[in-house]
Amino acid sequence: MTSQIEPVGLTLEQKASLLSGRDFWHTEAIEAAGIPSIMLSDGPHGLRRQDDQADNLGVHDSVSATCFPPSVAVGSSWDPEVAARIGAAIGREARAAGVSVVLGPGVNIKRSPLCGRNFEYYSEDPLLSGVLASAYVRAMQAEGAGASVKHFAANNQETDRMRVSAEVDERTLREIYFPAFERVVSEAHPATVMCSYNRVNGVYAAQNRRLLTDVLRDEWGFEGAVVSDWGAVNDRVAALAAGLDLEMPGTGGSGDAEIVAAVRSGELDEAVVDRSVRRVLALTGRALPPSGDVDPDEQHRVAKEVAADCAVLLKNDRDTLPLTTRSAVAVIGEFAANPRFQGGGSSHVNPTRVDTALDAIRELGESVTYARGLADNAIEIAREADVAVVFAGLGEKDESEGFDRDTIDLPAAQVELLKAVAAASRRTVVVLSHGGVVSLEGWHDDVDAILDGWLLGQAGGSALADLLFGVTNPSGHLAESIPLRLQDNPSYLNFPGESGHVRYGEGVMVGYRYYETAEVAVRYPFGHGLSYTTFEAGELTVTATGDDSAAVAVTVTNTGSRTGKHVVQVYVATNAAPVRSPARELRAFAKISLEPGETRRVELTLDRRAFAWYDIELSRWVVSPGDYTVQIGRSAAQIVAEAPVTLAGDVIIPVLSIDSTVQQWFGHPIVGPELGKLLAGQSNRVESSVDWMRMVASMPMRQFAKLMAYRGVELPTDALPRLIELSKGRARRIDSTRTIID
């Protein structure tokens, strides 16, 4: 098979040619060696395949394809099955079109609601993002098309995106910005990983060996090809040495020539070229002729079904929803007739068809009137109707790849319309369409119900109508917090940076982690979502299954009168770690469907990582011994059940140095008592008060020893070196599962 071809017999020039694109969307072929060209195509919510004019910004047209809900909506589904159905459906279209690699999914974290590309990403939480993306990748690749998880790494803004350096500390990278990538790589084995444009701590991602080799390959075991984002390579030789295999798009041979020259001059080992060639050859092993038939109607049906699982019912006062078919309904707003259903830029799909909410509402309702806005008698029809349904949101000119927003407010004209309609109508429902979070302030309290559709793909209009009339029960939950003010967002003062740098000063306190820890009120919290039925959590049990893991079981009952889907959200809270930790963190979830009155026992596993934090001194994940609280939440802000669990965790015996603190020396389980004995004989010269010890606790031993000498306390010359050596030799296995870590 092609994937087994070694670079033996190929000239250096031929090998170098395989490491960059033939053109905008295709890899290079060497027909004499049996090496085919493969086609890559934009995703991730539908194919953007271009036959003629090519671009990576969505400027030129593409061949029609099914436009599924973008990741912003899929995130709100909280359902791996939704992500998998979309991945499989796109995979079928890719196979039929002869596309070998689809550029998606995007798993970057929503650090700020202003990021113009947030519609392509799932969530502000890495667990939710990683689980959904893994399901998408597995399903897509099962159909034969390869996936390209992107954009690695710390690509959380569009401002200055091709140069800006994301300044992120190691713990934050490990706990927030890496985990979704890590999960997809380790669980779903994507064909490719795409590097981002930006720099990470000063080094371009495309030539960042620590990212592309040390972490991605050596730690996570990635075996596929690393491909550049289109135009992301600044130094081709440095990128290749760092672990970037395929530069896209083609450069007309200039990058190939740089590689050849570097090898000829001795700057680059040819073995590095061979290594990347093997990976690209394995990728070209996915080359298949177009095969299989795709039924556009069936694909559209899938798009509608998954869209219905993604919308979030934020508010429903007075049981305004669902609408009845007999109600006189006034539909207001341009988006009802000309829907906004996807984002702008490289992922912009040319849909096979588009459902409008207005047409679908007219099919379901017996009395429906319509006005585009204030100038079209909107107030008059709202006053005469039983309920007014206003469609509002953001247009493509307001948010897109390539630029960030500067506000989360709706356009002023829309806010004016919402308030005027609410004042005139008996009841008012607002349906939102947008890719990034929008503020609900200034009109939220005036309306009765809010259905947030985000961006729902080409079938979103009919899906929204079904949700409004109760044909489908809403089951979406927020994958990102909706703040009361933009200024409340933890990244506010550091976004989008300045002078070519953006400092991730909020650290691990991203999204709900910050809001809950700092007790900052939000309009709607992460995980919030209403239904036309009700659910109650019953008995919760948490059982330790080892020193660093636990099993969770909770009883859930549908206490309402409709069949509905419920998301079981499991959070973990603790103060056991010696670092500042969020008030709680999502550590497991499951979406279940229950009939009215049905009760189900839901069982979930909390593995080691559910309790771990990243220790930057040990460069590893650590589970601290101590007490943990496992919580069941309706959202990150509303906990309905909780239970404690105590874990033995990791016993850490650190290696001391002369620069370790007094607290570390005295707190050391082996060295501490020995040091105490040495000082005990001179207790009359050693201040032992609690206040004094608190003052010197953070003092390095080097300075402490000098201070003691000044006070007349002389330690034996070999005492400190001997105790340091004692600390080095204490690592040993306790039993089959636990290790003392030195």
Side-chain angles (χ1 to χ4, degrees), residues 347-363:
S347 67
H348 194 279
V349 177
N350 179 14
T352 58
R353 57 189 274 199
V354 177
D355 293 353
T356 74
L358 180 58
D359 288 342
I361 290 171
R362 282 171 170 163
E363 290 181 6

Side-chain angles (χ1 to χ4, degrees), residues 455-479:
L455 301 176
L456 291 179
Q458 67 180 50
S462 55
L464 286 170
D466 283 353
L467 290 162
L468 290 169
F469 281 91
V471 177
T472 306
N473 194 345
S475 64
H477 289 253
L478 290 177

Side-chain angles (χ1 to χ4, degrees), residues 175-302:
E175 295 189 18
I176 302 296
Y177 297 103
F178 280 1
F181 289 98
E182 181 183 4
R183 182 177 293 271
V184 176
V185 165
S186 60
E187 294 184 358
H189 312 291
T192 72
V193 168
M194 180 190 291
C195 79
S196 56
Y197 287 121
N198 55 286
R199 293 177 290 159
V200 179
N201 293 326
V203 181
Y204 280 105
Q207 56 201 58
N208 194 316
R209 180 178 177 82
R210 180 174 173 274
L211 286 179
L212 305 185
T213 297
D214 297 347
V215 173
L216 181 61
R217 295 194 184 279
D218 296 344
E219 291 188 31
W220 300 346
F222 179 62
E223 296 180 346
V226 174
V227 61
S228 73
D229 203 341
W230 267 231
V233 175
N234 293 274
D235 184 324
R236 184 64 187 103
V237 174
L240 184 61
L244 187 136
D245 304 305
L246 178 62
E247 179 182 14
M248 292 297 291
T251 59
S254 61
D256 307 345
E258 291 173 10
I259 293 172
V260 170
V263 173
R264 300 283 192 225
S265 69
E267 176 188 353
L268 184 69
D269 191 331
E270 191 168 353
V272 175
V273 177
D274 291 343
R275 179 190 62 194
S276 286
V277 168
R278 291 189 192 97
R279 294 169 183 158
V280 173
L281 290 177
L283 187 63
T284 61
R286 292 182 172 274
L288 294 173
S291 62
D293 294 324
V294 176
D295 182 346
D297 292 335
E298 173 63 18
Q299 294 285 90
H300 187 79
R301 183 186 66 81
V302 172

